[in-house]
């Protein structure tokens, strides 16, 4: 804090001893110590009050930030944009349907259904067996009786 060395303190002490005198020097030193103690306590109180004011200001800022965040959370709707998009798409679809229905109503043409072809004009369709079903059934194997030629019985 102060850049005073021990030699300077010694010089100040010698001057005080000569000027004040050895008889009154202890009383002056005591009162000087009391004043120093009072100055230090006042400086510490001021510093503590200043730090307390800074903490209160920081707390007020933090409280304001927390209140702002809480208000934002209460008003936050994560589906707001999606809901607005869906509503606009719904309005567009409704408008396109309304615009498509109005010209049809103005024309007032009876609805006609396409005629089906006569049954005689249709070609018959052959149903083929499924390949999987044909592969599943094994072909008949020749039996021993079928393999031998028919023999004639001799009686005899």
């Amino acid at each position: 804090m102060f850049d005073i060395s021990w030699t300077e303190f010694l010089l100040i002490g010698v001057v005080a001893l000569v000027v004040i005198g050895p008889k009154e020097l202890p009383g002056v030193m005591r009162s000087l110590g009391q004043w120093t103690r009072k100055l230090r306590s006042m400086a510490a109180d001021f510093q503590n009050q200043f730090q307390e004011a800074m903490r209160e200001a920081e707390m007020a800022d933090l409280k304001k930030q927390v209140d702002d965040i809480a208000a934002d959370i209460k008003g936050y709707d994560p589906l707001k944009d999606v809901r607005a998009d869906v509503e606009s798409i719904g309005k567009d679809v409704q408008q396109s349907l309304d615009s498509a229905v109005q010209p049809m109503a103005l024309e007032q043409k009876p609805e006609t259904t396409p005629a089906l072809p006569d049954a005689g004009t249709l070609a018959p369709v052959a149903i083929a067996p499924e390949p999987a079903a044909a592969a599943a059934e094994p072909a008949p194997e020749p039996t021993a009786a079928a393999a031998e030629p028919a023999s004639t019985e001799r009686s005899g």
Side-chain angles (χ1 to χ4, degrees), residues 9-155:
F9 273 121
L10 184 63
L11 180 64
I12 291 171
V14 170
V15 170
L17 182 62
V18 171
V19 172
I20 297 173
K23 193 178 195 184
E24 295 180 12
L25 188 61
V28 170
M29 294 298 280
R30 184 179 314 119
S31 60
L32 183 65
Q34 290 173 350
W35 279 96
T36 305
R37 187 178 328 123
K38 285 182 184 178
L39 283 175
R40 284 186 179 182
S41 68
M42 286 179 16
D45 287 342
F46 176 75
Q47 189 176 15
N48 289 337
Q49 288 176 355
F50 184 75
Q51 288 177 352
E52 184 69 27
M54 290 299 291
R55 277 190 232 114
E56 287 177 6
E58 288 176 5
M59 291 298 284
D61 289 343
L62 287 174
K63 184 181 182 313
K64 184 179 183 301
Q65 288 176 355
V66 167
D67 291 342
D68 290 343
I69 291 171
D72 290 343
I73 289 173
K74 286 180 183 177
Y76 179 68
D77 186 11
L79 300 177
K80 182 179 181 181
D81 295 335
V82 173
R83 191 175 294 124
D85 290 342
V86 169
E87 288 176 359
S88 67
I89 290 171
K91 289 178 184 178
D92 291 344
V93 168
Q94 185 65 36
Q95 287 175 353
S96 65
L97 287 175
D98 290 344
S99 64
V101 170
Q102 288 175 354
M104 293 178 102
L106 293 176
E107 292 174 8
Q108 294 182 354
K109 290 185 179 179
E111 292 186 22
T112 59
T113 57
L116 295 175
D118 292 333
T121 60
L122 293 177
V125 177
I127 299 175
E130 293 183 16
E137 295 178 12
E141 295 182 15
T143 60
E148 295 177 11
S151 62
T152 56
E153 289 185 28
R154 297 185 191 178
S155 44

